[in-house]
Each structure stands twice: as structure tokens, then as C-alpha cells.
Amino acid sequence: VGSEMCIRDSCWIIKEYSALRADASIDAENLLSLPYSTQLQVLDEIPCWYQVKFTDKNENVTIGWIPTEHVKNEHQIKQ
């Protein structure tokens, strides 16, 4: 069972800062730096990466990739 995340789940940044990347690679362009506890919506999942949607306070949407170890989902937080 483990930590598999359902698409459309919410997740939160658990690192002090985490880069939202253009692609699922540490070498990809850094779209945004997101602080601890930022809420994201999971759109897709591949090994070691989630594709997520970030909506800022002005309702601007950015879609990018974040390493799975940088976030926890709502099920992991409740444990």
C-alpha cells in the first residue's frame, strides 16, 4: 500500500523550500520556489516525481514537477 497518492489529492511541501520544475528532472528549469506547507494538487505521478498544480493568492496557476520526497499527502499527514 505504502505512500501511493491518488490523482487529485492535495499534498504539502515538507522542505524549507522546494523548487517547482518544468520537467521531472533536477536539471529542469526552476519555475517557482515554494515554501514549507504550501498546498499543491497532484495531477500525475511517475517514479520519484509528482506533477502538481500550484494556485497562488491571485489565482494564478502554475503546473510543474516536484520530487516526491519533498511533499506529504493528506493521508500521510493524518497518520
Side-chain angles (χ1 to χ4, degrees), residues 1-2 4-5 10-11 13 16 21 27 30 36 38 41 44-45 52 56 58-59 61 64 66 70 77-79:
V1 182
E4 286 186 17
M5 193 175 300
S10 291
C11 63
I13 302 287
E16 186 173 350
R21 305 262 178 201
D27 297 322
N30 181 0
Y36 181 84
T38 299
Q41 182 182 13
D44 199 4
E45 179 178 2
V52 296
D56 71 15
N58 297 319
E59 301 297 317
V61 172
I66 200 154
H70 288 208
I77 290 170
K78 292 175 184 171
Q79 291 177 351

PDB file of all heavy atoms in Angstrom, residues 1-2 4-5 10-11 13 16 21 27 30 36 38 41 44-45 52 56 58-59 61 64 66 70 77-79:
ATOM      1  N   VAL A   1       0.842  -1.188   0.000  1.00  0.00           N
ATOM      2  CA  VAL A   1       0.000   0.000   0.000  1.00  0.00           C
ATOM      3  C   VAL A   1       0.883   1.247   0.000  1.00  0.00           C
ATOM      4  O   VAL A   1       0.833   2.045  -0.902  1.00  0.00           O
ATOM      5  CB  VAL A   1      -0.965   0.008   1.199  1.00  0.00           C
ATOM      6  CG1 VAL A   1      -1.861   1.205   1.163  1.00  0.00           C
ATOM      7  CG2 VAL A   1      -1.743  -1.271   1.237  1.00  0.00           C
ATOM      8  N   GLY A   2       1.740   1.417   1.006  1.00  0.00           N
ATOM      9  CA  GLY A   2       2.758   2.453   1.005  1.00  0.00           C
ATOM     10  C   GLY A   2       2.214   3.855   0.884  1.00  0.00           C
ATOM     11  O   GLY A   2       1.155   4.182   1.397  1.00  0.00           O
ATOM     12  N   GLU A   4       1.490   5.589  -2.008  1.00  0.00           N
ATOM     13  CA  GLU A   4       0.948   5.953  -3.315  1.00  0.00           C
ATOM     14  C   GLU A   4      -0.127   7.018  -3.146  1.00  0.00           C
ATOM     15  O   GLU A   4      -0.934   6.970  -2.244  1.00  0.00           O
ATOM     16  CB  GLU A   4       0.365   4.724  -4.009  1.00  0.00           C
ATOM     17  CG  GLU A   4       1.427   3.796  -4.544  1.00  0.00           C
ATOM     18  CD  GLU A   4       0.852   2.657  -5.351  1.00  0.00           C
ATOM     19  OE1 GLU A   4      -0.308   2.741  -5.772  1.00  0.00           O
ATOM     20  OE2 GLU A   4       1.581   1.684  -5.554  1.00  0.00           O
ATOM     21  N   MET A   5      -0.105   7.969  -4.032  1.00  0.00           N
ATOM     22  CA  MET A   5      -1.027   9.087  -3.943  1.00  0.00           C
ATOM     23  C   MET A   5      -2.057   8.992  -5.057  1.00  0.00           C
ATOM     24  O   MET A   5      -1.723   8.639  -6.173  1.00  0.00           O
ATOM     25  CB  MET A   5      -0.254  10.402  -4.058  1.00  0.00           C
ATOM     26  CG  MET A   5      -1.072  11.592  -3.668  1.00  0.00           C
ATOM     27  SD  MET A   5      -0.126  13.133  -3.664  1.00  0.00           S
ATOM     28  CE  MET A   5       1.139  12.794  -2.475  1.00  0.00           C
ATOM     29  N   SER A  10      -4.555  16.380  -2.441  1.00  0.00           N
ATOM     30  CA  SER A  10      -3.742  17.515  -2.047  1.00  0.00           C
ATOM     31  C   SER A  10      -2.469  17.002  -1.406  1.00  0.00           C
ATOM     32  O   SER A  10      -2.446  15.920  -0.822  1.00  0.00           O
ATOM     33  CB  SER A  10      -4.486  18.387  -1.038  1.00  0.00           C
ATOM     34  OG  SER A  10      -5.571  19.028  -1.665  1.00  0.00           O
ATOM     35  N   CYS A  11      -1.409  17.786  -1.525  1.00  0.00           N
ATOM     36  CA  CYS A  11      -0.180  17.478  -0.812  1.00  0.00           C
ATOM     37  C   CYS A  11       0.431  18.796  -0.362  1.00  0.00           C
ATOM     38  O   CYS A  11       0.035  19.872  -0.815  1.00  0.00           O
ATOM     39  CB  CYS A  11       0.788  16.670  -1.683  1.00  0.00           C
ATOM     40  SG  CYS A  11       1.374  17.498  -3.160  1.00  0.00           S
ATOM     41  N   ILE A  13       4.201  20.856   0.878  1.00  0.00           N
ATOM     42  CA  ILE A  13       5.665  20.885   0.901  1.00  0.00           C
ATOM     43  C   ILE A  13       6.140  20.610   2.329  1.00  0.00           C
ATOM     44  O   ILE A  13       5.637  21.207   3.281  1.00  0.00           O
ATOM     45  CB  ILE A  13       6.191  22.265   0.447  1.00  0.00           C
ATOM     46  CG1 ILE A  13       5.690  22.621  -0.956  1.00  0.00           C
ATOM     47  CG2 ILE A  13       7.719  22.326   0.550  1.00  0.00           C
ATOM     48  CD1 ILE A  13       6.320  21.867  -2.077  1.00  0.00           C
ATOM     49  N   GLU A  16      12.043  23.134   3.694  1.00  0.00           N
ATOM     50  CA  GLU A  16      12.003  24.581   3.927  1.00  0.00           C
ATOM     51  C   GLU A  16      11.631  25.314   2.641  1.00  0.00           C
ATOM     52  O   GLU A  16      10.798  26.204   2.639  1.00  0.00           O
ATOM     53  CB  GLU A  16      13.348  25.067   4.455  1.00  0.00           C
ATOM     54  CG  GLU A  16      13.319  26.522   4.845  1.00  0.00           C
ATOM     55  CD  GLU A  16      14.602  26.973   5.517  1.00  0.00           C
ATOM     56  OE1 GLU A  16      15.448  26.131   5.849  1.00  0.00           O
ATOM     57  OE2 GLU A  16      14.733  28.184   5.696  1.00  0.00           O
ATOM     58  N   ARG A  21       9.555  22.412 -10.779  1.00  0.00           N
ATOM     59  CA  ARG A  21      10.347  22.296 -12.005  1.00  0.00           C
ATOM     60  C   ARG A  21       9.473  22.168 -13.249  1.00  0.00           C
ATOM     61  O   ARG A  21       8.354  21.652 -13.188  1.00  0.00           O
ATOM     62  CB  ARG A  21      11.253  21.075 -11.920  1.00  0.00           C
ATOM     63  CG  ARG A  21      12.149  21.068 -10.701  1.00  0.00           C
ATOM     64  CD  ARG A  21      13.500  21.562 -11.037  1.00  0.00           C
ATOM     65  NE  ARG A  21      14.364  21.593  -9.863  1.00  0.00           N
ATOM     66  CZ  ARG A  21      15.429  22.341  -9.787  1.00  0.00           C
ATOM     67  NH1 ARG A  21      15.767  23.114 -10.797  1.00  0.00           N
ATOM     68  NH2 ARG A  21      16.175  22.337  -8.719  1.00  0.00           N
ATOM     69  N   ASP A  27      17.609  18.905 -13.228  1.00  0.00           N
ATOM     70  CA  ASP A  27      18.257  19.833 -14.159  1.00  0.00           C
ATOM     71  C   ASP A  27      17.252  20.714 -14.908  1.00  0.00           C
ATOM     72  O   ASP A  27      17.652  21.607 -15.651  1.00  0.00           O
ATOM     73  CB  ASP A  27      19.098  19.054 -15.173  1.00  0.00           C
ATOM     74  CG  ASP A  27      20.227  18.295 -14.493  1.00  0.00           C
ATOM     75  OD1 ASP A  27      20.814  18.837 -13.541  1.00  0.00           O
ATOM     76  OD2 ASP A  27      20.502  17.153 -14.904  1.00  0.00           O
ATOM     77  N   ASN A  30      13.711  25.868 -13.058  1.00  0.00           N
ATOM     78  CA  ASN A  30      13.011  26.124 -11.800  1.00  0.00           C
ATOM     79  C   ASN A  30      11.924  27.163 -12.068  1.00  0.00           C
ATOM     80  O   ASN A  30      12.229  28.320 -12.341  1.00  0.00           O
ATOM     81  CB  ASN A  30      14.012  26.615 -10.748  1.00  0.00           C
ATOM     82  CG  ASN A  30      13.376  26.885  -9.413  1.00  0.00           C
ATOM     83  OD1 ASN A  30      12.174  26.718  -9.231  1.00  0.00           O
ATOM     84  ND2 ASN A  30      14.171  27.301  -8.459  1.00  0.00           N
ATOM     85  N   TYR A  36       7.787  25.931   2.802  1.00  0.00           N
ATOM     86  CA  TYR A  36       7.195  24.893   3.647  1.00  0.00           C
ATOM     87  C   TYR A  36       5.691  25.102   3.805  1.00  0.00           C
ATOM     88  O   TYR A  36       5.231  26.227   3.945  1.00  0.00           O
ATOM     89  CB  TYR A  36       7.881  24.931   5.021  1.00  0.00           C
ATOM     90  CG  TYR A  36       7.366  23.894   5.984  1.00  0.00           C
ATOM     91  CD1 TYR A  36       7.857  22.604   5.959  1.00  0.00           C
ATOM     92  CD2 TYR A  36       6.388  24.220   6.912  1.00  0.00           C
ATOM     93  CE1 TYR A  36       7.387  21.643   6.832  1.00  0.00           C
ATOM     94  CE2 TYR A  36       5.904  23.270   7.795  1.00  0.00           C
ATOM     95  CZ  TYR A  36       6.408  21.979   7.753  1.00  0.00           C
ATOM     96  OH  TYR A  36       5.933  21.040   8.623  1.00  0.00           O
ATOM     97  N   THR A  38       3.269  24.786   1.679  1.00  0.00           N
ATOM     98  CA  THR A  38       2.495  25.179   0.501  1.00  0.00           C
ATOM     99  C   THR A  38       1.623  24.006   0.058  1.00  0.00           C
ATOM    100  O   THR A  38       2.098  22.877  -0.040  1.00  0.00           O
ATOM    101  CB  THR A  38       3.428  25.576  -0.655  1.00  0.00           C
ATOM    102  OG1 THR A  38       4.226  26.686  -0.249  1.00  0.00           O
ATOM    103  CG2 THR A  38       2.653  25.935  -1.910  1.00  0.00           C
ATOM    104  N   GLN A  41      -1.921  20.539  -5.702  1.00  0.00           N
ATOM    105  CA  GLN A  41      -2.843  19.498  -6.160  1.00  0.00           C
ATOM    106  C   GLN A  41      -2.071  18.563  -7.081  1.00  0.00           C
ATOM    107  O   GLN A  41      -1.434  19.014  -8.036  1.00  0.00           O
ATOM    108  CB  GLN A  41      -4.030  20.103  -6.903  1.00  0.00           C
ATOM    109  CG  GLN A  41      -5.030  19.047  -7.353  1.00  0.00           C
ATOM    110  CD  GLN A  41      -6.178  19.648  -8.133  1.00  0.00           C
ATOM    111  OE1 GLN A  41      -6.144  20.789  -8.554  1.00  0.00           O
ATOM    112  NE2 GLN A  41      -7.201  18.851  -8.356  1.00  0.00           N
ATOM    113  N   ASP A  44      -0.448  14.136 -11.652  1.00  0.00           N
ATOM    114  CA  ASP A  44       0.104  12.912 -12.216  1.00  0.00           C
ATOM    115  C   ASP A  44       1.258  12.452 -11.344  1.00  0.00           C
ATOM    116  O   ASP A  44       1.767  13.216 -10.522  1.00  0.00           O
ATOM    117  CB  ASP A  44       0.590  13.164 -13.648  1.00  0.00           C
ATOM    118  CG  ASP A  44       0.741  11.876 -14.466  1.00  0.00           C
ATOM    119  OD1 ASP A  44       0.408  10.787 -13.952  1.00  0.00           O
ATOM    120  OD2 ASP A  44       1.198  11.976 -15.617  1.00  0.00           O
ATOM    121  N   GLU A  45       1.671  11.208 -11.537  1.00  0.00           N
ATOM    122  CA  GLU A  45       2.739  10.637 -10.747  1.00  0.00           C
ATOM    123  C   GLU A  45       3.578   9.723 -11.618  1.00  0.00           C
ATOM    124  O   GLU A  45       3.048   8.935 -12.397  1.00  0.00           O
ATOM    125  CB  GLU A  45       2.138   9.848  -9.580  1.00  0.00           C
ATOM    126  CG  GLU A  45       3.138   9.187  -8.682  1.00  0.00           C
ATOM    127  CD  GLU A  45       2.492   8.448  -7.516  1.00  0.00           C
ATOM    128  OE1 GLU A  45       1.249   8.427  -7.427  1.00  0.00           O
ATOM    129  OE2 GLU A  45       3.241   7.875  -6.724  1.00  0.00           O
ATOM    130  N   VAL A  52       2.264  18.575 -10.312  1.00  0.00           N
ATOM    131  CA  VAL A  52       1.356  19.264  -9.393  1.00  0.00           C
ATOM    132  C   VAL A  52       0.897  20.595  -9.976  1.00  0.00           C
ATOM    133  O   VAL A  52       1.527  21.160 -10.860  1.00  0.00           O
ATOM    134  CB  VAL A  52       2.019  19.504  -8.018  1.00  0.00           C
ATOM    135  CG1 VAL A  52       2.324  18.190  -7.319  1.00  0.00           C
ATOM    136  CG2 VAL A  52       3.282  20.345  -8.149  1.00  0.00           C
ATOM    137  N   ASP A  56      -1.651  30.437  -6.751  1.00  0.00           N
ATOM    138  CA  ASP A  56      -1.238  31.462  -5.787  1.00  0.00           C
ATOM    139  C   ASP A  56      -2.442  32.278  -5.298  1.00  0.00           C
ATOM    140  O   ASP A  56      -3.578  32.045  -5.717  1.00  0.00           O
ATOM    141  CB  ASP A  56      -0.116  32.342  -6.352  1.00  0.00           C
ATOM    142  CG  ASP A  56      -0.553  33.289  -7.456  1.00  0.00           C
ATOM    143  OD1 ASP A  56      -1.766  33.515  -7.639  1.00  0.00           O
ATOM    144  OD2 ASP A  56       0.334  33.815  -8.155  1.00  0.00           O
ATOM    145  N   ASN A  58      -3.441  35.100  -5.963  1.00  0.00           N
ATOM    146  CA  ASN A  58      -4.115  35.853  -7.024  1.00  0.00           C
ATOM    147  C   ASN A  58      -4.784  34.942  -8.047  1.00  0.00           C
ATOM    148  O   ASN A  58      -5.183  35.404  -9.120  1.00  0.00           O
ATOM    149  CB  ASN A  58      -3.121  36.780  -7.729  1.00  0.00           C
ATOM    150  CG  ASN A  58      -2.558  37.820  -6.789  1.00  0.00           C
ATOM    151  OD1 ASN A  58      -3.277  38.388  -5.977  1.00  0.00           O
ATOM    152  ND2 ASN A  58      -1.267  38.053  -6.880  1.00  0.00           N
ATOM    153  N   GLU A  59      -4.864  33.663  -7.719  1.00  0.00           N
ATOM    154  CA  GLU A  59      -5.489  32.649  -8.582  1.00  0.00           C
ATOM    155  C   GLU A  59      -4.680  32.359  -9.849  1.00  0.00           C
ATOM    156  O   GLU A  59      -5.208  31.808 -10.815  1.00  0.00           O
ATOM    157  CB  GLU A  59      -6.942  33.025  -8.945  1.00  0.00           C
ATOM    158  CG  GLU A  59      -7.852  33.196  -7.737  1.00  0.00           C
ATOM    159  CD  GLU A  59      -8.017  31.918  -6.918  1.00  0.00           C
ATOM    160  OE1 GLU A  59      -8.180  30.830  -7.510  1.00  0.00           O
ATOM    161  OE2 GLU A  59      -7.978  31.995  -5.679  1.00  0.00           O
ATOM    162  N   VAL A  61      -2.195  30.113 -11.832  1.00  0.00           N
ATOM    163  CA  VAL A  61      -1.914  28.680 -11.757  1.00  0.00           C
ATOM    164  C   VAL A  61      -0.581  28.370 -12.432  1.00  0.00           C
ATOM    165  O   VAL A  61      -0.304  28.851 -13.528  1.00  0.00           O
ATOM    166  CB  VAL A  61      -3.047  27.873 -12.428  1.00  0.00           C
ATOM    167  CG1 VAL A  61      -2.689  26.398 -12.532  1.00  0.00           C
ATOM    168  CG2 VAL A  61      -4.353  28.057 -11.666  1.00  0.00           C
ATOM    169  N   GLY A  64       3.783  22.125 -12.645  1.00  0.00           N
ATOM    170  CA  GLY A  64       5.169  21.692 -12.745  1.00  0.00           C
ATOM    171  C   GLY A  64       5.377  20.380 -12.018  1.00  0.00           C
ATOM    172  O   GLY A  64       4.421  19.706 -11.626  1.00  0.00           O
ATOM    173  N   ILE A  66       7.574  18.140  -8.935  1.00  0.00           N
ATOM    174  CA  ILE A  66       8.254  18.258  -7.645  1.00  0.00           C
ATOM    175  C   ILE A  66       8.649  16.859  -7.185  1.00  0.00           C
ATOM    176  O   ILE A  66       7.899  15.898  -7.391  1.00  0.00           O
ATOM    177  CB  ILE A  66       7.340  18.990  -6.636  1.00  0.00           C
ATOM    178  CG1 ILE A  66       8.138  19.554  -5.496  1.00  0.00           C
ATOM    179  CG2 ILE A  66       6.209  18.127  -6.145  1.00  0.00           C
ATOM    180  CD1 ILE A  66       7.504  20.736  -4.833  1.00  0.00           C
ATOM    181  N   HIS A  70       9.762  15.623  -1.322  1.00  0.00           N
ATOM    182  CA  HIS A  70       9.583  16.995  -0.839  1.00  0.00           C
ATOM    183  C   HIS A  70       8.161  17.285  -0.377  1.00  0.00           C
ATOM    184  O   HIS A  70       7.884  18.390   0.083  1.00  0.00           O
ATOM    185  CB  HIS A  70       9.957  17.995  -1.929  1.00  0.00           C
ATOM    186  CG  HIS A  70      11.433  18.065  -2.174  1.00  0.00           C
ATOM    187  ND1 HIS A  70      12.052  19.188  -2.644  1.00  0.00           N
ATOM    188  CD2 HIS A  70      12.420  17.145  -2.007  1.00  0.00           C
ATOM    189  CE1 HIS A  70      13.355  18.959  -2.756  1.00  0.00           C
ATOM    190  NE2 HIS A  70      13.596  17.722  -2.388  1.00  0.00           N
ATOM    191  N   ILE A  77      -0.122  12.846   6.416  1.00  0.00           N
ATOM    192  CA  ILE A  77      -0.144  13.837   7.484  1.00  0.00           C
ATOM    193  C   ILE A  77      -1.039  13.387   8.639  1.00  0.00           C
ATOM    194  O   ILE A  77      -0.728  13.612   9.804  1.00  0.00           O
ATOM    195  CB  ILE A  77      -0.584  15.210   6.930  1.00  0.00           C
ATOM    196  CG1 ILE A  77       0.533  15.756   6.034  1.00  0.00           C
ATOM    197  CG2 ILE A  77      -0.924  16.199   8.032  1.00  0.00           C
ATOM    198  CD1 ILE A  77       0.159  16.965   5.227  1.00  0.00           C
ATOM    199  N   LYS A  78      -2.121  12.698   8.320  1.00  0.00           N
ATOM    200  CA  LYS A  78      -3.075  12.260   9.355  1.00  0.00           C
ATOM    201  C   LYS A  78      -2.575  11.070  10.163  1.00  0.00           C
ATOM    202  O   LYS A  78      -3.126  10.752  11.195  1.00  0.00           O
ATOM    203  CB  LYS A  78      -4.419  11.930   8.717  1.00  0.00           C
ATOM    204  CG  LYS A  78      -5.129  13.157   8.178  1.00  0.00           C
ATOM    205  CD  LYS A  78      -6.398  12.781   7.451  1.00  0.00           C
ATOM    206  CE  LYS A  78      -7.034  14.020   6.828  1.00  0.00           C
ATOM    207  NZ  LYS A  78      -8.142  13.690   5.948  1.00  0.00           N
ATOM    208  N   GLN A  79      -1.520  10.388   9.682  1.00  0.00           N
ATOM    209  CA  GLN A  79      -1.022   9.202  10.376  1.00  0.00           C
ATOM    210  C   GLN A  79      -0.278   9.572  11.644  1.00  0.00           C
ATOM    211  O   GLN A  79       0.321  10.571  11.770  1.00  0.00           O
ATOM    212  CB  GLN A  79      -0.101   8.400   9.448  1.00  0.00           C
ATOM    213  CG  GLN A  79      -0.869   7.765   8.327  1.00  0.00           C
ATOM    214  CD  GLN A  79       0.053   7.024   7.350  1.00  0.00           C
ATOM    215  OE1 GLN A  79       1.273   7.118   7.427  1.00  0.00           O
ATOM    216  NE2 GLN A  79      -0.553   6.301   6.444  1.00  0.00           N
TER     217      GLN A  79
END
